Amino acid sequence: AALRSDLDRAARAVFGRPADRLTAADIAADPPEPDYADVPGTRLAVACGDQPTRTSSWYKLLSDLQGPAYPLFGWAYGLSEACGFWSDPPRHELPKLSARAAKNILVVQGEFDPQTGYEQAEAAARAAGIPMVSVAESPFHGQYAVSGNSCVDDLVNGFFLGGPRPAATICPGVPLPGEHQVFPVPGPAGRSAEPPVPAARDALSTARERLQDDISTINRDR
């Protein structure tokens, strides 16, 4: 409901009708520009081609072991791993980033990201000579513009808008869904110089909090 007027404006501008009257045929008749076309399999081609992979039975076993312990993502990491059927080994070494490319990259990483380990991001940034913005206490996969973290958003916005690239920084985390404060725990990122603060309020905060509360309720009832 909070987005209805925005969706209607976008639908009228692109398709000439309100959002609730759009059909799949309307959208299929007006495909995106080629540069923005969704190409299935690209992520898997990169991920499976960048490293040696194991057999499908190995990934199935991984799923069986991780699923009961980590029900949110544990099952998926084995059962959905298409690399188990990838027969070719990597054909080239990963390229070394040139200084020209590296200067345009900033890494932002949550301390307890459930999908990309903190140590992985730290090692990648170190190898490329790139500064990393660490988000202490954060268990989220995705930091910029999605969690209401003003420290992260301000640093990345400034960089995107032509400002200098931030130096290595530790930003404070924001509360978990359904909570209103941060509970510090030991981890590899260390401590932020700034105290943890509640997520910034914006026009969608109420809707976002309601969604987070619904997710928390579902998880508690599992």
Side-chain angles (χ1 to χ4, degrees):
L3 294 173
R4 185 175 294 125
S5 60
D6 290 339
L7 292 173
D8 277 343
R9 278 196 298 273
R12 290 179 188 279
V14 177
F15 301 104
R17 63 181 67 196
D20 60 2
R21 290 178 53 200
L22 283 180
T23 67
D26 294 326
I27 298 172
D30 186 17
E33 294 295 321
D35 285 351
Y36 296 93
D38 183 16
V39 181
T42 301
R43 186 196 72 79
L44 292 172
V46 172
C48 300
D50 276 355
Q51 59 187 346
T53 56
R54 300 177 184 267
T55 64
S56 58
S57 60
W58 188 92
Y59 288 111
K60 170 64 166 59
L61 177 61
L62 176 66
S63 179
D64 292 341
L65 293 173
Q66 289 190 148
Y70 310 105
L72 188 59
F73 289 112
W75 296 105
Y77 275 154
L79 294 176
S80 66
E81 188 52 81
C83 296
F85 303 93
W86 190 271
S87 59
D88 288 353
R91 298 188 178 187
H92 59 80
E93 295 293 328
L94 291 179
K96 182 176 176 58
L97 277 178
S98 67
R100 180 179 179 184
K103 70 182 179 63
N104 294 317
I105 298 173
L106 175 66
V107 177
V108 182
Q109 174 70 30
E111 186 170 18
F112 302 112
D113 186 327
Q115 293 175 266
T116 303
Y118 183 87
E119 292 81 2
Q120 289 175 290
E122 189 175 44
R126 186 189 307 115
I130 296 169
M132 186 167 89
V133 175
S134 305
V135 188
E137 324 300 346
S138 177
F140 303 116
H141 182 67
Q143 301 295 328
Y144 171 63
V146 296
S147 61
N149 191 317
S150 58
C151 174
V152 171
D153 291 351
D154 289 348
L155 290 173
V156 177
N157 285 338
F159 184 45
F160 279 170
L161 293 173
R165 182 171 61 184
T169 305
I170 303 175
C171 281
V174 296
L176 288 165
E179 297 183 347
H180 302 286
Q181 67 182 95
V182 175
F183 298 91
V185 294
R191 290 282 174 267
S192 168
E194 303 177 33
V197 294
R201 303 288 299 179
D202 58 36
L204 297 178
S205 287
T206 301
R208 186 183 298 118
E209 288 179 1
R210 192 162 57 245
L211 174 62
Q212 291 173 345
D213 288 343
D214 289 344
I215 293 171
S216 297
T217 300
I218 292 171
N219 285 335
R220 281 194 298 269
D221 293 340
R222 291 183 68 92

